[in-house]
């Protein structure tokens, strides 16, 4: 007998933290996965009010307060044109818990989960923690996930595949055609499509599409969160939406591991979703402006980077030694291989930081590029 479970020994703490620690206190941090904007004041106020009035002292229903789940359903109706029953939504402790529920409820030991590589670090780890088998799939040259590559990777043992648009770490947004294909693949192969849409509102060119718009069976599980859209990473509030029978299975996991999402955060999330959305638009405009400055700067340095059209990341191909040189020069970026083996030779640059700092960091990255090129 070993002291610790094999499944927990199979994962390690994300490499991203180590980069922060290596860089020192004065470094400019382009490694962060959270917006540098405050939570909208009406969301903060709603939590304050719920607390003052004693509405947030007790457990909520396991799925979360009805009014929040209605707000999530109304969002899908408005943005995706899909009618969603509020009963088919569970409020979760961030998008992270929603991903965990989706994988726990659908993946048996030894079953495969297909996901993009480079991709968000949790897909690999949550698969291993469910005793599943990770099946990372490399991306196209433009850093989008190719539906044909996903379809090719499906075997009799595949339980699920993950789609993440807009993407962390690439900033790529899937085309409507690709999203339609993902829905078809899930339908035809009887494999669950877990669609991680936590960056859904941060899109610069074109529109966000979700497989839920095209699926003809209940093959899609959709994950969202307030974290990025409303700058609420610390509130820990997300959700999962799926068919009644899938939600019922995920609720079994949620009930025993969480009981319910934090009540004050649920009230804040409801206000964020139903209140004025101008802060979201302002934030997206600011990200777009920074993206353009960053792309110009990387281009001047001779670095190749597909234009990211969403989220707040860019992923250039970088020469050997570049990431270390940049970090040693006082700018934190994350090495691409922190997001999977296919990320090697790339770096993730987050532009969720102020314009002045970003410009300073760009100069440092340009100098570093000259030194290692
Ligand atoms: N999915 C992706 C693609 C993410 O980047 C993140 C957060 N970095 C999450 C899910 C988890 O989000 P949350 O903070 O809401 O748990």
């Amino acid at each position: 007998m070993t002291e610790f479970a094999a499944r927990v020994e199979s994962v390690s703490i994300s490499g991203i933290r180590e980069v922060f620690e290596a860089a020192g206190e004065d470094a400019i941090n382009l490694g962060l996965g959270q917006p540098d904007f405050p939570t909208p004041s009406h969301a903060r106020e709603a939590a304050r009010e719920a607390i003052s009035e004693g509405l947030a002292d007790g457990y909520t229903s396991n799925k979360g307060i009805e009014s929040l789940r209605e707000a999530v359903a109304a969002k899908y109706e408005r943005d995706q044109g899909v009618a969603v029953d509020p009963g088919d939504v569970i409020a979760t402790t961030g998008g992270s818990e929603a991903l965990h529920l989706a994988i726990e409820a659908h993946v048996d030991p030894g079953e495969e989960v297909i996901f993009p590589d480079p991709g968000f670090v949790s897909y690999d780890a949550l698969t291993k923690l469910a005793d599943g088998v990770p099946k990372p799939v490399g991306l196209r040259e433009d850093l989008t996930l190719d539906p044909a590559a996903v379809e090719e990777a499906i075997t009799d043992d595949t339980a699920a595949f993950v789609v993440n648009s807009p993407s962390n770490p690439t900033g790529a947004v899937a085309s409507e055609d690709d999203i339609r294909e993902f829905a078809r693949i899930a339908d035809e192969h009887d494999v669950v499509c877990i669609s991680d849409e936590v960056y859904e509102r941060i899109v610069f060119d074109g529109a966000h599409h979700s497989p839920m718009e095209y699926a003809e069976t209940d093959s899609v599980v959709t994950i969202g969160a307030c974290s990025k859209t409303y700058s609420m990473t610390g509130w820990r509030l997300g959700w999962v939406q799926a068919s009644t029978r899938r939600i019922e299975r995920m609720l079994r996991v949620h009930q025993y591991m969480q009981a319910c999402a934090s009540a004050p955060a649920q009230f804040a999330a409801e206000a964020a979703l139903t209140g004025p959305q101008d802060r979201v638009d302002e934030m997206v405009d600011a990200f777009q402006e920074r993206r353009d400055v960053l792309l110009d700067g990387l281009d001047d340095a001779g670095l190749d980077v597909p234009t990211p059209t969403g989220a707040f990341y860019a992923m250039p191909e970088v020469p050997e030694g570049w990431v270390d040189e940049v970090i040693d020069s006082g700018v934190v970026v994350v090495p691409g291989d922190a997001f999977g083996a296919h990320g090697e030779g790339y770096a993730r640059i987050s532009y969720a930081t102020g314009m002045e700092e970003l410009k300073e960091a760009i100069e440092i990255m340009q100098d570093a590029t000259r030194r290692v090129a």
Side-chain angles (χ1 to χ4, degrees):
M1 207 165 81
T2 53
E3 189 172 16
F4 296 109
R7 79 178 76 83
V8 83
E9 295 293 24
S10 72
V11 302
S12 47
I13 299 293
S14 153
I16 300 180
R17 285 282 141 210
E18 290 162 25
V19 177
F20 292 168
E21 279 153 26
E25 273 178 17
D26 296 332
I28 301 176
N29 197 340
L30 304 188
L32 282 181
Q34 63 182 353
D36 60 325
F37 290 82
T39 298
S41 53
H42 56 273
R44 288 180 175 170
E45 196 46 49
R48 216 177 269 130
E49 226 177 87
I51 291 167
S52 302
E53 290 171 14
L55 301 175
D57 290 345
Y59 296 119
T60 69
S61 86
N62 295 132
K63 283 185 186 173
I65 56 174
E66 179 79 19
S67 48
L68 167 59
R69 290 182 289 114
E70 281 169 1
V72 171
K75 183 199 77 69
Y76 286 123
E77 173 99 55
R78 181 193 67 212
D79 296 345
Q80 260 54 60
V82 176
V84 164
D85 183 339
D88 291 341
V89 173
I90 304 173
T92 58
T93 302
S96 300
E97 193 217 342
L99 282 169
H100 178 73
L101 298 184
I103 290 177
E104 278 296 300
H106 291 97
V107 181
D108 264 327
E111 286 187 340
E112 299 161 350
V113 178
I114 296 166
F115 51 82
D117 176 2
F120 178 48
V121 291
S122 289
Y123 310 143
D124 177 78
L126 290 173
T127 301
K128 289 173 177 162
L129 291 173
D131 290 327
V133 179
K135 269 231 166 158
V137 166
L139 306 177
R140 294 181 179 120
E141 196 114 309
D142 66 358
L143 301 182
T144 58
L145 179 64
D146 185 352
V150 170
E151 191 161 27
E152 228 165 78
I154 291 176
T155 71
D156 289 345
D157 293 325
T158 306
F161 66 90
V162 181
V163 173
N164 172 218
S165 175
S167 155
N168 174 13
T170 68
V173 176
S175 70
E176 185 173 4
D177 283 349
D178 284 352
I179 291 291
R180 191 183 286 114
E181 269 295 280
F182 289 128
R184 178 195 64 75
I185 291 166
D187 282 346
E188 281 183 17
H189 293 269
D190 202 15
V191 164
V192 181
C193 170
I194 300 172
S195 185
D196 178 350
E197 304 181 13
V198 301
Y199 295 94
E200 64 189 331
R201 296 286 296 279
I202 309 174
V203 174
F204 312 127
D205 316 305
H208 165 75
H209 286 284
S210 168
M212 68 154 60
E213 297 166 42
Y214 308 104
E216 289 173 6
T217 70
D218 76 340
S219 59
V220 179
V221 172
T222 306
I223 281 156
C226 288
S227 304
K228 317 288 175 173
T229 304
Y230 300 108
S231 242
M232 289 176 66
T233 52
W235 293 80
R236 311 304 308 128
L237 202 291
W239 57 83
V240 59
Q241 187 283 327
S243 66
T244 306
R245 66 190 185 112
R246 295 192 193 282
I247 284 292
E248 200 272 326
R249 280 8 180 248
M250 289 188 274
L251 189 61
R252 295 182 200 179
V253 185
H254 175 72
Q255 175 174 9
Y256 292 114
M257 69 172 278
Q258 291 285 351
C260 66
S262 155
Q266 291 188 48
F267 285 97
E270 180 196 340
L273 284 161
T274 56
Q277 301 293 301
D278 47 327
R279 301 300 301 273
V280 180
D281 299 334
E282 281 166 30
M283 180 179 76
V284 174
D285 287 348
F287 284 152
Q288 184 164 2
E289 221 176 290
R290 294 178 199 170
R291 177 203 63 172
D292 293 343
V293 167
L294 176 63
L295 287 186
D296 280 350
L298 294 176
D299 189 51
D300 287 348
L303 295 176
D304 234 9
V305 57
T307 301
T309 50
F312 38 74
Y313 308 107
M315 203 168 202
E317 224 176 319
V318 295
E320 213 182 316
W322 188 88
V323 170
D324 287 341
E325 185 69 29
V326 166
I327 293 174
D328 287 347
S329 311
V331 175
V332 179
V333 296
V334 183
D337 60 6
F339 303 97
H342 287 94
E344 198 177 336
Y346 291 82
R348 187 192 75 174
I349 302 175
S350 161
Y351 46 90
T353 190
M355 187 64 106
E356 287 319 304
E357 276 195 305
L358 182 64
K359 284 181 176 165
E360 203 183 316
I362 288 168
E363 280 182 26
I364 293 171
M365 290 191 286
Q366 287 174 336
D367 289 344
T369 310
R370 268 178 232 116
R371 287 197 294 275
V372 295

